[in-house]
């Protein structure tokens, strides 16, 4: 693992946050090796994520990324911002569009996260994630609730 | 009008708690590396303990590993008539009551929460309630709830 990943040592101060604040952006680079690695780590061996023949036989343009990979990769930004991955108490998404991963080559998924709501009483914030590939959203209603 | 072949009789079915899943440090590290979660609490025991956790904590979506095992009881049952070649993942939600950590022994109670049909598309929603077992007291603690919806295309769609 990279030791240079920026991790905030301090937790964000909920009283200084405002709805609309962008907390960060990140590019997620996805190639076939990444999908094989996620398949092994997650136990999801559906062949549409590694076998073009199978993917095309069910009407896909080719191998696509696991939706759960994209969901998992997108939230890493929120974990780092929160300073404690355990602070992510609720995380949901819809899968609206597949991410086609070429071979050879790579797909680049863009992630942006902004404050969507603040609950000072519960001391939680809702972080809304915008996750796009080739300019179109691949996740919908992607929201993480963070306890601060 | 086309109709999905999904068996509606399964709505409301609750499965008994499945065999325990043992959460290991290396599995947490492997999963975190696979999704690019570089926060040290997934990789360094000292870092996780520094945040007050007993051991490495799992990334927010790690529970999918545990949930998928439970969901297989339903999805792989031929009587459920969920044709996996016609399935796409529609949505997913994780609610964590506390982070999963290395050393947890987790059992899952699966419920087929709903099946709704619309124009030949069946939306199948399952809920996995994941409990940690305490080996000493035999008590269980609700750790996470994973809700997942699959869209199953009917014949001709």
């Amino acid at each position: 693992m990279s030791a240079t990943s920026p991790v905030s040592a301090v937790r964000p101060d909920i009283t200084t946050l405002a709805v609309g604040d962008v907390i960060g952006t990140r590019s997620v680079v996805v190639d076939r090796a990444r999908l094989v690695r996620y398949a092994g780590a997650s136990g999801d061996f559906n062949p549409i994520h590694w076998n073009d023949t199978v993917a095309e036989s069910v009407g896909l343009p080719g191998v696509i990324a696991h939706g759960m990979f994209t969901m998992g990769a997108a939230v890493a930004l929120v974990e780092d911002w929160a300073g404690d991955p355990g602070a992510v108490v609720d995380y949901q998404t819809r899968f609206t569009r597949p991410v086609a991963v070429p071979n050879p080559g790579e797909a680049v998924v863009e992630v942006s996260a902004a404050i969507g709501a603040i609950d000072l009483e519960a001391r939680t914030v809702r972080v809304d994630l915008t996750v796009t590939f080739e300019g179109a959203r691949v996740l919908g209603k992607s929201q993480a609730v963070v306890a601060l | 009008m086309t109709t999905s072949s999904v068996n509606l009789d399964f709505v409301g079915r609750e499965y008994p708690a499945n065999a325990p899943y043992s959460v290991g440090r290396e599995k947490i590290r492997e999963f975190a590396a696979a999704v690019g979660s570089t926060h040290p609490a997934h990789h360094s025991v000292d870092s996780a303990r520094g945040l007050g956790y007993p051991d490495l904590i799992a990334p927010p979506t790690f529970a999918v590993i545990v949930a998928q095992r439970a969901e297989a009881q339903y999805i792989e049952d031929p009587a459920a008539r969920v044709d996996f070649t016609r399935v796409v993942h529609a949505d997913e939600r994780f609610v964590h009551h506390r982070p999963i950590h290395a050393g947890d022994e987790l059992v899952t109670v699966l419920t087929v929460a709903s099946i709704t049909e619309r124009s030949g598309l069946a939306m199948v929603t399952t809920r996995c309630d994941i409990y940690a077992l305490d080996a000493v007291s035999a008590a269980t603690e609700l750790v996470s709830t994973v809700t997942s919806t699959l869209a199953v295309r009917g014949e001709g769609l």
Side-chain angles (χ1 to χ4, degrees):
Chain A
M1 296 307 301
S2 163
T4 57
S5 174
V7 173
S8 62
V10 289
R11 311 289 310 282
D13 178 353
I14 193 169
T15 62
T16 67
L17 299 173
V19 170
D21 286 355
V22 174
I23 63 165
T25 62
R26 186 169 288 188
S27 297
V28 178
V29 176
V30 195
D31 62 9
R32 294 291 176 93
R34 173 61 50 182
L35 299 186
V36 170
R37 187 171 185 162
Y38 182 77
S42 69
D44 182 346
F45 293 103
N46 188 330
I48 64 170
H49 305 303
W50 51 270
N51 185 320
D52 283 306
T53 306
V54 173
E56 287 163 14
S57 77
V58 296
L60 294 167
V63 161
I64 61 167
H66 306 74
M68 286 305 307
F69 165 78
T70 307
M71 185 184 190
V75 81
L77 175 64
V78 182
E79 294 182 59
D80 290 346
W81 170 78
D84 176 356
V88 179
V89 295
D90 189 332
Y91 181 35
Q92 66 176 312
T93 200
R94 292 180 187 146
F95 303 99
T96 53
R97 193 169 175 272
V99 174
V101 179
N103 179 39
E106 58 196 31
V108 181
V109 174
E110 301 293 346
V111 182
S112 173
I115 304 295
I118 299 170
D119 186 336
L120 287 172
E121 210 157 294
R123 298 198 64 79
T124 58
V125 297
R126 193 189 79 219
V127 176
D128 295 345
L129 291 155
T130 303
V131 183
T132 61
F133 171 59
E134 294 178 337
R137 283 184 182 238
V138 294
L139 301 182
K141 202 190 174 195
S142 188
Q143 302 176 341
V145 176
V146 180
L148 293 175
Chain B
M1 180 181 153
T2 54
T3 53
S4 154
S5 61
V6 175
N7 187 346
L8 301 176
D9 293 344
F10 278 67
V11 175
R13 188 167 299 199
E14 182 179 303
Y15 292 74
N18 64 356
Y21 178 91
S22 301
V23 181
R25 284 180 185 167
E26 299 307 337
K27 194 66 191 180
I28 287 177
R29 289 179 174 130
E30 179 191 7
F31 185 89
V35 293
S37 281
T38 54
H39 193 283
H42 306 312
H43 302 278
S44 154
V45 177
D46 284 348
S47 174
R49 289 187 178 150
L51 287 170
Y53 301 113
D55 210 310
L56 295 185
I57 59 168
T61 64
F62 180 90
V64 71
I65 299 173
V66 183
Q68 273 175 356
R69 289 176 175 228
E71 289 157 8
Q73 296 172 99
Y74 163 62
I75 291 165
E76 293 177 5
D77 181 349
R81 299 200 298 270
V82 178
D83 178 354
F84 220 76
T85 66
R86 309 185 73 83
V87 161
V88 294
H89 198 174
D91 60 62
E92 186 88 5
R93 182 176 189 174
F94 299 87
V95 175
H96 297 299
H97 305 286
R98 69 151 168 86
I100 290 170
H101 61 75
D104 272 335
E105 294 282 325
L106 302 174
V107 296
T108 304
V109 175
L110 168 71
T111 305
V112 181
S114 67
I115 303 174
T116 58
E117 298 225 32
R118 190 182 59 231
S119 311
L121 195 68
M123 306 297 284
V124 179
T125 300
T126 55
R127 189 181 73 244
C128 289
D129 291 309
I130 300 174
Y131 297 86
L133 297 174
D134 185 319
V136 179
S137 68
T140 58
E141 171 192 9
L142 181 62
V143 173
S144 301
T145 299
V146 181
T147 309
S148 184
T149 301
L150 301 177
V152 188
R153 284 175 294 137
E155 299 294 328
L157 284 183

